[in-house]
Amino acid sequence: MKKKSRILTVLLLACYILTIPASAYYASVTASYEVLRAGIKGYSTIEANTDTGLSELFTQVNIVDENLVLYEFDNETLENPKVSTLTAVVGASRSTLEDNMGYYVQGYGYIKYMTKYGEETKRYNDEKYLYYQKSAKNAEQVETDESSKLRLAYNEERAAYILDSFGKIPGQYKFASDYELLDYVETEDYVAMKETLAAEPRITLPSFFIGNDVIFGVCQDIDAVNYLYEFAKNSDGHWDLVDTQRLQADGCYQDVYESYSEYQAAMATTK
């Protein structure tokens, strides 16, 4: 009798969860950092309004410089969580950080939950910018919307330049910068793909070009070597690495735009 009672309770709870409207689930992501003697420690915390009915919590933190070169990243995932808060932590060593350089601590996260229409996902992101000086107090700054959009355009144009260097036509594929790839693949595939690209130290922010049956991941390292990673979907529906190509480039980006600041200045003259 007790067994039937437990089964009935579970079924009633499941029915209750499925009747919760999608608007009842929400969360926030907060990016934060500490500047320590050892370097910069970055955090990304996702906080949902409830832990009832959630099927997955995910959060990721990046530390990138003002040229969108990736220094460190990490992520955390919980399936069927019993908590509503999850934090990813990563540290960038003082020895690898550039003095008098701007850095972004980027936080991203999502929640997944079941509704009567199936599983839904809500995504959130945040970032903090600081000007890093090894011998002085570091100041947090606020970036304008216009500058933020220009920085994203710079990243996409740089990624397209790298893909083009391998004879591929960027316009034939959908572009996804870093975590935007999660719009196309499952979490475990995204994490594996990003870790594959980030195997090289100090690469440009991982970017992806998505086709019908292929995904190209591109980045460039600190020695101006371009990388092309080709992923194909296997019989299980996951993505496998099937090819890797390397190409020595002439410069860190191209002849005109060696850095974001040069790109920003060039775009200003075209207005």
Side-chain angles (χ1 to χ4, degrees), residues 111-161:
I111 56 174
K112 289 186 177 182
Y113 49 90
M114 293 301 298
T115 73
K116 61 183 180 181
Y117 303 107
E119 191 172 59
E120 299 287 343
T121 304
K122 286 186 178 178
R123 308 176 187 278
Y124 307 86
N125 60 279
D126 185 35
E127 69 178 16
K128 297 294 188 298
Y129 172 79
L130 72 145
Y131 188 71
Y132 182 75
Q133 294 177 294
K134 294 185 179 181
S135 59
K137 185 176 180 180
N138 300 276
E140 184 173 314
Q141 300 182 18
V142 177
E143 187 177 42
T144 64
D145 289 341
E146 182 178 358
S147 179
S148 178
K149 291 177 181 178
L150 190 63
R151 183 164 48 90
L152 294 175
Y154 165 71
N155 183 54
E156 183 171 354
E157 186 168 336
R158 179 176 61 185
Y161 161 75

Side-chain angles (χ1 to χ4, degrees), residues 44-55:
S44 175
T45 299
I46 185 166
E47 184 172 0
N49 68 315
T50 178
D51 58 4
T52 301
L54 295 178
S55 55

